[in-house]
Amino acid sequence: MRTLTVALSLSLTLGLTACSGSGGVHAASGGAGVGDPYFPKSGNGGYDVTHYDLTLAYAPDASDTSDTPDTAPSLTATATVTARATTPLSTFDLDFQGMKVNSLTVDGKKASWTRSGQELKVRPSAALRKGGTFRTTVHYSGTPETITDPDGSDEGWLPTADGALALGEPTGSMAWFPGNDHPSDKATYDITITVPKGLQAVSNGELRSETTTGTGAAPTTTYSWHTRQPMATYLATVAIGHYDITRTTTRNGLPVYVAVDPQEAAASRKVLGKLPEIMEWEEYNFGPYPFSSTGAIVDRGGDAGYALETQNRPFFPGAPDTATLVHELAHQWYGDSVTPKTWRDMWLNEGFATYAEWLWAEDHDGDTAQQTFDALYKGTYFDDKADDDAVWAFPPATPTSAAHISDSPVYERGAMVLHKIRRTVGDARFYDIIQGWAATHRHGNATTADFTAYVEKMAPGKDFTEIWKDWLYGHGKPARP
Ligand code: TRP
Ligand code: ZN
């Protein structure tokens, strides 16, 4: 009976539907979600995306949001998602929230689809075979949604004073393109954005071309960006508006593309001037930079409530300070290249990027990492006691819920775990560990268990039992610093 129940519910969740006569191949639904403990609907089963080709046309005036708007939709787009089936598929899901789907094909043939919440379920005209590559093309339009995170912050598509901004952590990419919206499925990207002439469109990777067409009433400029190293969906970005663009190269020839809202230019100049120096310091400490260009996007304060480590080109809401620039650039190694396998492993991003800030301060006449650690342990780090206490609210490795993945146990206490490791193994071995970690999982995904196993392998004979038990997985404030 028990066996029967299990088998039955399994076939129901997998939605075993088609069973082709030839060869007895059972094609099933790929299913919604990849089993993320914090975002169960994020991502989809049954396939791996290898490439996204996104072509977006943006029209600024979308103030008319009625059902029969007489203004153009703010976004008219085509997404071609190239993926490999990991199982025979009769249907599969894409994550896509809002917007209107106008037509959809799989390998050039019309496919039917249904929508429910963030799930766009696609039924190709014929089942897809395991191991085969297939291309899904979605034509869509409308005004993309702004999504509110479980923690209350806004992501997805954010209209700004002079354009719009796409930010995707943790689930915002599904507001502006259909895809496998989970950090475990990374892919390369071509993002092409057409905007009214006079506006700029900045994205990830390298700018391949910038073409202005039309001399009449509505000339446009098309910006084509190419991301050639794998990227998680949450790191994809588009920033449309007026920007001062600065293109330079670092001393070792890496292209730097910096876009700054003119209103933020004066306030940003000094800190952005340190970008090449920060890149060099991070390469020295973390190992070779994993991507083929760097830079930054600085918008007006208020356009978003937070900075984000968008790949190649971190985003800042207003002129950044040095610590924040160090933090977001450190994420290029820890987060963007070595990406968490699930949202539970978030401290692998934020603990590392926070520890990078401590190391920068230590190397640049600020507090030592030990002093920062001690202030946090003593509860004298933040301005108010509630913030100092919040550091101990939950273990870094297991945030309480999706609403808490960006709380201080993930950031500060995560950094404290790294400092504990450093004290246990000494500086030389510690830098070997953080560089080796970045090298071992370069352009991949990793879990907390991968990390603890890696540290143990790199420091034979050292005992990490207490660090893992009390600092990484333990509830409450550890008894000893
Ligand atoms: N990752 C960002 C940082 O650099 C912060 C952030 C923005 C964030 N949006 C988020 C963290 C959503 C978790 C979830 O610190
Ligand atoms: Zn961060």
Side-chain angles (χ1 to χ4, degrees), residues 51-59 74-80 138 140 157 166 176-177 188-196 200-213 220-227 231 236-240:
H51 187 72
Y52 290 94
D53 193 325
L54 311 176
T55 306
L56 316 170
Y58 167 80
S74 63
L75 204 64
T76 304
T78 302
T80 296
V138 185
Y140 57 101
W157 192 261
W176 62 284
F177 66 91
T188 53
Y189 288 68
D190 280 295
I191 301 178
T192 300
I193 313 123
T194 299
V195 297
Q200 272 103 25
V202 185
S203 186
N204 312 93
E206 292 85 53
L207 184 61
R208 280 282 172 81
S209 65
E210 176 182 336
T211 320
T212 297
T213 51
T220 58
T221 306
T222 298
Y223 297 84
S224 292
W225 292 89
H226 178 66
T227 297
M231 176 164 76
T237 190
V238 166
I240 298 166

Side-chain angles (χ1 to χ4, degrees), residues 4-16:
L4 181 66
T5 314
V6 170
L8 192 66
S9 63
L10 187 69
S11 68
L12 283 176
T13 33
L14 292 178
L16 294 167

Side-chain angles (χ1 to χ4, degrees), residues 186 228-231 254 283 286-293 311 332-339 434-446 454:
K186 304 210 257 183
R228 69 178 157 102
Q229 291 87 22
M231 176 164 76
L254 186 73
E283 287 208 83
F286 308 149
Y289 179 65
F291 303 118
S292 43
S293 65
Q311 192 155 305
Q332 304 300 311
W333 283 258
Y334 306 108
D336 296 13
S337 171
V338 184
T339 305
I434 60 174
Q435 289 189 12
W437 175 247
T440 303
H441 295 282
R442 181 179 168 98
H443 299 151
N445 289 94
Y454 183 76

Side-chain angles (χ1 to χ4, degrees), residues 454-474:
Y454 183 76
V455 171
E456 286 169 7
K457 190 183 95 181
M458 290 289 283
K462 297 287 184 192
D463 185 6
F464 299 96
T465 318
E466 189 189 302
I467 303 181
W468 305 155
K469 184 166 77 63
D470 296 343
W471 285 86
L472 187 53
Y473 289 101

Side-chain angles (χ1 to χ4, degrees), residues 149 151 153 155 169-170 234 306-309 327-328 331 343 346 349-350 353 405-406 411:
D149 286 349
D151 77 0
S153 55
E155 57 162 333
E169 191 179 25
Y234 79 93
Y306 50 82
L308 189 66
E309 61 268 29
H327 179 114
E328 303 307 337
H331 272 308
W343 290 112
M346 185 72 168
N349 285 10
E350 302 305 345
I405 61 168
S406 49
Y411 285 70

Side-chain angles (χ1 to χ4, degrees), residues 2 34 70 122 172 201 210 216 228 266 285 308 313 365 374 443 455:
R2 191 176 153 72
V34 290
D70 49 30
V122 180
E210 176 182 336
R228 69 178 157 102
N285 288 290
L308 189 66
R313 210 148 282 115
D365 304 319
D374 290 342
H443 299 151
V455 171

